[in-house]
């Protein structure tokens, strides 16, 4: 088992039990002209992590290790999008409304697709999730159990929303999680920093954090 230098202390990565989970690198969150940008967010920092997320993906693929992708999206009839979710945010542009890249966060809409640079390869599992966490109302637990995965490297957007929620869900289910700090991003730099602090505080109450190079070095080791 290789040791990855990480916060709050080294992470012992076990290639037999580890998987990469890439959260919601979807056009509507990341690309100019998408949902996130339409709400007035600067998407440039999210776009900037695409090459780093790609390096993580390529490292896991080259090592023959499992990779999972998630997409935040809903059924066309919105039966899986409760008012507690749909009615939050800007009333001018809500989940299910017609947006610049099709209906906002509806399965099958162009904006709900993963950015082409990070497109899943044939055979890679894509988890469509109606919640912020990747475990809520999805088959992710079962998929990971089938492969006997116990450790997750986590990347994607946004750090303090879907990434952090997924790490908390995973930790409660017994997974050791490490966040790739330069392969995750937020529209709000202070929220990203705070999320990393919250994850790693108190002896790693939610998990670990390390840059991509350190994680890939652990795969090599
Ligand atoms: C948000 C996400 N921020 N993927 N979604 O609404 O973090």
């Amino acid at each position: 088992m290789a040791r990855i230098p990480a916060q709050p202390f080294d992470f012992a990565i076990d290639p037999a039990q580890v998987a990469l989970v890439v959260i919601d690198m979807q056009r509507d969150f990341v690309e100019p002209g998408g949902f996130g940008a339409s709400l007035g967010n600067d998407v440039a920092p999210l776009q900037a992590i695409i090459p780093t997320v790609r390096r993580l993906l390529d490292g896991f693929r080259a090592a023959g290790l499992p990779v999972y992708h998630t997409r935040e999206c809903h059924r066309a009839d919105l039966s899986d999008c409760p008012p507690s979710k749909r009615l939050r945010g800007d009333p001018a542009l809500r989940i299910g409304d017609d947006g610049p890249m099709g209906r906002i966060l509806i399965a099958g809409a162009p904006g709900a697709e993963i950015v082409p640079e990070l497109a899943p390869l044939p055979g890679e599992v894509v988890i469509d999730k109606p919640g912020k966490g990747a475990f809520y109302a999805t088959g992710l637990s079962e998929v990971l159990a089938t492969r006997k995965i116990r450790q997750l490297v986590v990347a994607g957007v946004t750090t303090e929303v879907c990434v952090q929620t997924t790490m908390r869900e995973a930790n409660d289910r017994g997974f050791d999680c490490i966040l790739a700090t330069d392969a995750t991003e937020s529209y709000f730099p202070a929220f990203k920093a705070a999320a990393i602090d919250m994850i790693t505080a108190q002896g790693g109450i939610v998990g670990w954090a390390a840059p991509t190079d350190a994680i890939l070095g652990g795969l090599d080791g």
Side-chain angles (χ1 to χ4, degrees):
M1 244 191 277
R3 303 193 79 77
I4 296 172
Q7 295 296 326
F9 54 87
D10 288 1
F11 182 86
I13 193 166
D14 180 357
Q17 301 191 78
V18 72
L20 173 65
V21 180
V22 180
I23 303 288
D24 299 356
M25 289 298 291
Q26 293 161 262
R27 297 183 61 203
D28 252 334
F29 291 127
V30 174
E31 289 189 356
F35 177 42
S38 302
L39 295 176
N41 296 302
D42 177 11
V43 297
L46 282 69
Q47 281 198 292
I49 67 166
I50 291 175
T52 312
V53 178
R54 179 60 188 262
R55 282 201 302 120
L56 259 183
L57 275 167
D58 288 346
F60 271 73
R61 287 166 174 161
L65 299 177
V67 163
Y68 302 96
H69 307 260
T70 72
R71 297 184 294 206
E72 182 175 351
C73 58
H74 296 271
R75 297 184 193 132
D77 65 3
L78 293 173
S79 57
D80 59 354
C81 186
S84 62
K85 182 173 188 187
R86 184 158 192 267
L87 301 184
R88 300 283 79 78
D90 187 339
L93 199 57
R94 289 191 161 134
I95 293 169
D97 290 351
D98 285 321
M101 296 182 182
R103 287 184 71 196
I104 303 291
L105 297 187
I106 297 299
E113 294 303 328
I114 292 168
V115 295
E117 299 91 326
L118 306 176
L121 294 183
E124 289 178 353
V125 174
V126 180
I127 301 286
D128 283 345
K129 62 185 191 52
K132 297 170 183 69
F135 289 83
Y136 169 69
T138 73
L140 183 57
S141 285
E142 290 73 18
V143 166
L144 296 176
T146 304
R147 293 288 299 257
K148 299 191 167 29
I149 301 298
R150 302 306 314 153
Q151 300 183 333
L152 301 179
V153 173
V154 185
V157 298
T158 60
T159 316
E160 78 280 10
V161 185
C162 292
V163 171
Q164 181 175 206
T165 303
T166 297
M167 289 184 73
R168 289 175 182 274
E169 286 184 329
N171 181 251
D172 282 346
R173 286 163 174 78
F175 294 91
D176 283 333
C177 300
I178 181 164
L179 176 64
T181 50
D182 51 356
T184 183
E185 200 43 88
S186 169
Y187 300 124
F188 308 99
F191 290 176
K192 173 180 175 177
I196 294 171
D197 285 349
M198 284 188 269
I199 286 163
T200 58
Q202 302 178 70
I205 191 160
V206 175
W208 286 256
T212 293
D213 281 345
I215 293 169
L216 292 177
L219 295 188
D220 287 343

